[in-house]
Amino acid sequence: MNQIPALVRVFAYLSLLTVGGGMAAFPEMKVLTVEVHKWLTFPQLIHLYSVGQMYPGPNMMMIVVIGDWAGGLLGAIAVLIAFFGPTALLAFIVARGWKKLEKWPWRTSIQQGLAPVSIGLLLAGCFTMAKGAISGVETAAIAVGVLLILLQYKVNPALLVLGSAAVGLISFMPK
Amino acid sequence: MSETGGKPGLQTTDRAPTAPAEVSIGQIFLEFLIIGATSFGGVVPYLRGSLVTKRHWVDDKEFVEMLSISQSLPGLNATNMAILVGEKLRGALGSIAAIIGVCLPGAVLMYMVGIFYRHHGDHVWVTAALKGVAAAAVGLILSTVVGLSKKSLAGRFDFVFMALTVIAVNRLHLGVPRTLVGVGLLAILFHYPRNEQKEGAAQ
């Protein structure tokens, strides 16, 4: 069955939810890609998102994989256009109009109001992910460790993610 | 992609001093391609290093302002910034060149990861490593949450709005769109323009 129309619908919709960051759309992404369309499993979604943190570029590139699995190379390209097209167009329109809005008093209100909501969405996405990613003392310790190191030192996060892969290898290999 | 009129006149004199006379579409694409291929651990610092420090395509103040626009719009910071900077430099074509450049390397890499993962994803070594990677990603997002909260949350009520958002999504399962519109409107109305209105009335 051709999945491309469904892929385009889902990812165009998800793109509009990414206020404040890609993670904001994560809870909805889980429902649509895992539960509704069954393009992948929840652990796979978590794995792909996490692996994406080790790669350069915008951090939601794992959507390419969902597109590929569900619809081949064409699906991957369709997903990219669907996910980045609508918000790109919106940003472009705003870029043209923003200067004119400088004097509009609600501009600041919108920015101030959306800040806590976007952070909340990020946190909600994080909790959704934690339900699948944190499964015991060891994984919790890795998460807390990474958090504390990042708050304390200026380390490249990609290196920490890579380091955690090594920790995972040592800790979770069946004996 | 539709062009809204295509008015080059919008890039007025106040921006001119920082923008070099002519940046070609090819240069924009190449610069963003390099950022897209090297920005390990988050795109924004690399954008600043490249666009502000190295190329002087935007100045620091402008960069911060563009970033704050990017953050209040849907879309990833990295791609929104690409659109805004591309637009500033060369209009619609500049935007398209920038966003394709910044996305291409990561997209190709993840495409290959997807192929590898499909064949070897259930290998014990891979699952063990990925368990660590996923846990690290949770810590990484939490650190972003802390960083953003320190920077942009002002006052108790902002924390209330943040908590309401989390509860609406994770506990009440209202879904992201309804939460965004509901709590978002509430928070925007709470931050209604007080001073500005008075100033406006006084004039």
Side-chain angles (χ1 to χ4, degrees):
Chain A
M1 203 176 69
N2 185 6
Q3 293 288 326
I4 289 177
L7 283 170
V8 169
R9 257 200 323 275
V10 165
F11 282 93
Y13 166 73
L14 288 175
S15 84
L16 297 173
L17 306 180
T18 55
V19 178
M23 204 60 204
F26 195 78
E28 211 77 3
M29 185 183 282
K30 183 205 165 198
V31 171
L32 289 172
T33 62
V34 174
E35 289 159 21
V36 176
H37 290 284
K38 299 184 170 60
W39 287 320
L40 75 178
T41 66
F42 187 40
Q44 286 174 330
L45 182 67
I46 289 174
H47 286 164
L48 290 176
Y49 175 84
S50 312
V51 169
Q53 304 311 302
M54 286 191 283
Y55 286 86
N59 67 3
M60 292 298 282
M61 282 306 163
M62 40 80 74
I63 59 167
V64 170
V65 181
I66 304 178
D68 178 40
W69 288 4
L73 182 59
L74 213 58
I77 295 167
V79 156
L80 275 178
I81 294 169
F83 191 71
F84 290 111
T87 57
L89 190 60
L90 187 64
F92 185 76
I93 293 166
V94 170
R96 290 276 161 111
W98 197 252
K99 281 271 156 195
K100 286 185 218 153
L101 293 179
E102 210 156 28
K103 292 270 150 43
W104 188 46
W106 283 93
R107 190 182 112 161
T108 323
S109 304
I110 291 173
Q111 282 189 303
Q112 285 175 341
L114 283 183
V117 180
S118 64
I119 297 170
L121 287 178
L122 201 61
L123 197 55
C126 184
F127 286 153
T128 303
M129 191 165 143
K131 271 179 220 157
I134 308 296
S135 54
V137 184
E138 297 95 336
T139 41
I142 294 174
V144 172
V146 167
L147 170 65
L148 292 179
I149 292 171
L150 283 173
L151 292 181
Q152 206 60 42
Y153 306 101
K154 229 178 137 57
V155 196
N156 190 319
L159 285 179
L160 283 181
V161 178
L162 196 64
S164 303
V167 174
L169 263 181
I170 298 162
S171 322
F172 306 122
M173 275 294 281
K175 301 272 152 25
Chain B
M1 247 178 248
S2 83
E3 251 190 83
T4 48
K7 281 180 262 173
L10 270 179
Q11 277 150 38
T12 43
T13 44
D14 58 337
R15 286 175 169 197
T18 56
E22 193 68 2
V23 182
S24 73
I25 299 292
Q27 276 175 298
I28 296 174
F29 175 74
L30 192 65
E31 196 60 34
F32 277 89
L33 188 74
I34 294 170
I35 297 169
T38 55
S39 54
F40 291 93
V43 179
V44 170
Y46 293 84
L47 281 172
R48 183 180 233 138
S50 161
L51 303 173
V52 180
T53 314
K54 189 170 122 204
R55 296 278 171 209
H56 306 288
W57 285 350
V58 288
D59 65 34
D60 214 41
K61 187 171 159 280
E62 208 171 7
F63 185 86
V64 172
E65 195 188 303
M66 283 176 169
L67 195 60
S68 96
I69 299 172
S70 296
Q71 272 160 352
S72 26
L73 287 176
L76 312 184
N77 281 337
T79 52
N80 282 349
M81 284 300 284
I83 295 292
L84 295 183
V85 175
E87 195 278 335
K88 186 213 155 174
L89 296 170
R90 284 301 296 265
L93 279 180
S95 289
I96 293 169
I99 195 172
I100 293 179
V102 84
C103 287
L104 196 60
V108 172
L109 283 170
M110 276 313 284
Y111 182 76
M112 295 191 292
V113 167
I115 293 170
F116 175 84
Y117 181 84
R118 188 162 51 182
H119 294 297
H120 306 284
D122 48 4
H123 194 285
V124 279
W125 282 53
V126 179
T127 30
L130 285 176
K131 221 171 150 181
V133 167
V138 171
L140 176 55
I141 304 161
L142 282 177
S143 82
T144 311
V145 169
V146 174
L148 284 174
S149 304
K150 276 190 195 154
K151 205 174 66 186
S152 43
L153 293 192
R156 261 171 304 176
F157 282 98
D158 275 356
F159 284 93
V160 173
F161 292 131
M162 187 182 85
L164 276 179
T165 306
V166 175
I167 293 165
V169 174
N170 284 339
R171 288 272 142 235
L172 307 176
H173 300 288
L174 288 178
V176 176
R178 271 184 282 178
T179 307
L180 192 57
V181 173
V183 188
L185 271 182
L186 206 67
I188 290 169
L189 288 175
F190 177 81
H191 286 286
Y192 77 97
R194 277 156 267 221
N195 304 328
E196 286 88 341
Q197 273 185 347
K198 273 184 211 147
E199 274 167 23
Q203 275 162 7

